Amino acid sequence: MNTALGVLESAGPLLVWAIVLGFVFAECAFIVGLFLPGDSLLFAAGVVLAQHDHEHQAWWLSGTATVVAVAGNQLGYYIGAKAGHAIITRVGGRVLNQHNLDRARDFLDRRGFFAIVVARWIPWIRTLAPLVAGAAKMDARRFALATTVGGIAWVPTLVLLGYYAAGLLEDLPWLQTVAVVGSIAFFVGGTVWGIWRYRQEMRRPVDTVSVTE
């Protein structure tokens, strides 16, 4: 009985880990990440872990998710490098279009190392920057250092902010519950909306754009 109870109590945090690591990797490595609510996910994860009073897990998740985010960006860089100068966009796409790709390329050209660090905080650039950096042959070591610094600044900040912000509401249980439900609802809604937008985007005609023109 005690074992079963322990499994039930740990199911919530374990699910949080699985969702966070999977979504963070996808958002940092693949085009579909353009449509995923990464920032709200990390914050929501901290809020949920606070509900279970798992402070140590919040810190461990922050570290692990940072490593996963860096690995995801490294894969994105590799994909961009292997794809050459061309990155596929969509004709008339609202997100995956030449305008946004040009903005990401211009941001990277003007800011270089700093752009990769800051890109962690800009949702659509967070996904495009590694692809553009790889296709444009940015120095691999410089990119790795920049994306690591950015990951360290991004993931723990949002997870721990969610955890300790929720912890401040311990004296107001109803408000803490609202925070948990609201965070999860925002994440789920954002994910459903993002997947729908991604499917709509992928139905548009393909357009191949060079990132080095």
Side-chain angles (χ1 to χ4, degrees), residues 68-145:
V68 169
V70 172
N73 265 10
Q74 287 294 148
L75 178 58
Y77 177 91
Y78 177 80
I79 292 173
K82 288 299 181 181
H85 296 165
I87 291 181
I88 293 176
T89 61
R90 297 285 164 167
V91 177
R94 294 186 177 183
V95 179
L96 189 55
N97 54 49
Q98 183 170 355
H99 175 67
N100 281 346
L101 185 60
D102 288 342
R103 289 174 64 191
R105 178 181 58 187
D106 180 63
F107 186 56
L108 185 61
D109 287 343
R110 288 186 293 107
R111 304 295 181 180
F113 182 95
F114 179 72
I116 299 299
V117 175
V118 175
R120 291 289 190 181
W121 297 93
I122 309 174
W124 59 273
I125 290 185
R126 179 162 59 237
T127 300
L128 287 178
L131 293 169
V132 174
K137 307 302 181 186
M138 179 179 181
D139 180 75
R141 292 183 180 180
R142 185 175 175 82
F143 174 82
L145 178 59

Side-chain angles (χ1 to χ4, degrees), residues 27 34 56 59 86 98 108 111 160-161 164 191 205 213:
E27 183 174 14
L34 285 167
H56 64 289
W59 283 90
Q98 183 170 355
L108 185 61
R111 304 295 181 180
L160 297 177
L161 181 62
Y164 290 111
T191 300
E213 290 180 347

Side-chain angles (χ1 to χ4, degrees), residues 19 35 47 83 148 171 174 211:
I19 292 174
F35 306 87
V47 172
T148 299
D171 294 333
W174 66 271
V211 299

Side-chain angles (χ1 to χ4, degrees), residues 22-61:
F23 271 67
V24 166
F25 186 78
E27 183 174 14
C28 294
F30 306 116
I31 286 297
V32 67
L34 285 167
F35 306 87
L36 299 178
D39 294 332
S40 60
L41 168 63
L42 293 174
F43 184 84
V47 172
V48 172
L49 289 176
Q51 183 78 354
H52 290 80
D53 197 26
H54 288 313
E55 182 176 15
H56 64 289
Q57 287 207 30
W59 283 90
W60 277 108
L61 178 60

Side-chain angles (χ1 to χ4, degrees), residues 42 62 66 70 117-118 120-121 146-159:
L42 293 174
S62 295
T66 298
V70 172
V117 175
V118 175
R120 291 289 190 181
W121 297 93
T147 196
T148 299
V149 172
I152 292 173
W154 178 53
V155 176
T157 297
L158 290 174
V159 173

